Amino acid sequence: GDAQYLFGKSYMSINRIYTENGFDGLNKYFTDNWGFSTDKYAVFTVSSLRKFLSLFNGISITVAESIEYHSSSINLELDKGYQSLSGEKVLNYLMICDDKYKEKVLCEIISSVLKPEYADNGTKLFKNFANYSETDISIIDYSDASDTLKTYCYADDKFEPLPFYMEETDEEN
């Protein structure tokens, strides 16, 4: 299930915080708990994220541990390690992997989408992003940030997971 976070006096998933309180409530949660806020957002449903990810020729992620998962809606078998997968497989993995791996997978998805081969098609990529998500990021916002995004596409070092989401290690005393 979804990870639960303290919001006010109760624990809720990020999705529930957004559903019940909108972007302002989610932004308040980030400010109160993590010390940052944002003035823009994008929200994907599973279906819209599936459509968006299907636009790419493989998304490179690290599968933390071999997985064999079969249900009425998902059939997934993956070996452990770094690999290029279809958007469908990445999304299925994201839905079933342990919560402690999700941030790293999301960072790897962003890094796979913002690659040099997509840098020169940024406007088309943004239009697809806007069409498949609920967002308040406008084409003007994109235009203002397009040079920075293009630079990022060509950068060698991409996102790294934040320390509080890193995999726990066993330390001997």
Side-chain angles (χ1 to χ4, degrees):
D2 289 338
Q4 301 291 303
Y5 302 94
L6 185 60
F7 184 74
K9 294 182 179 182
S10 61
Y11 283 87
M12 303 173 133
S13 70
I14 294 291
N15 289 337
R16 184 170 167 207
I17 294 170
Y18 175 76
T19 300
E20 293 182 8
N21 302 280
F23 173 69
D24 290 337
L26 193 56
N27 205 26
K28 179 180 178 349
Y29 167 77
F30 289 138
T31 301
D32 292 351
N33 292 281
W34 292 342
F36 72 87
S37 66
T38 182
D39 56 354
K40 298 292 178 184
Y41 70 94
V43 176
F44 285 89
T45 64
V46 171
S47 174
S48 65
L49 185 57
R50 180 175 284 115
K51 289 175 186 173
F52 181 70
L53 294 178
S54 73
L55 300 172
F56 301 94
N57 298 327
I59 297 172
S60 298
I61 66 163
T62 304
V63 175
E65 47 200 17
S66 296
I67 192 165
E68 188 173 325
Y69 182 90
H70 301 283
S71 72
S72 60
S73 59
I74 296 174
N75 285 306
L76 189 63
E77 293 182 25
L78 297 172
D79 293 326
K80 179 180 179 177
Y82 189 72
Q83 52 202 286
S84 182
L85 302 171
S86 69
E88 179 78 17
K89 284 187 178 180
V90 169
L91 185 59
N92 287 342
Y93 177 68
L94 185 61
M95 290 191 306
I96 63 174
C97 73
D98 192 298
D99 285 342
K100 65 184 175 185
Y101 303 125
K102 290 184 182 196
E103 181 187 1
K104 182 171 179 31
V105 173
L106 288 169
C107 289
E108 289 176 325
I109 289 170
I110 293 169
S111 293
S112 284
V113 169
L114 296 177
K115 294 194 300 194
E117 59 259 37
Y118 304 122
D120 294 326
N121 275 332
T123 301
K124 182 179 179 183
L125 181 63
F126 173 76
K127 287 178 182 177
N128 283 313
F129 169 83
N131 286 335
Y132 289 122
S133 68
E134 176 187 326
T135 184
D136 67 345
I137 302 171
S138 70
I139 191 69
I140 294 168
D141 296 324
Y142 166 74
S143 294
D144 291 346
S146 64
D147 288 341
T148 302
L149 286 170
K150 188 178 258 192
T151 299
Y152 179 83
C153 287
Y154 287 101
D156 289 332
D157 55 337
K158 305 288 189 192
F159 288 107
E160 289 295 327
L162 298 173
F164 52 82
Y165 277 128
M166 299 291 282
E167 183 175 350
E168 295 176 20
T169 57
D170 294 328
E171 294 182 30
E172 294 181 11
N173 294 335

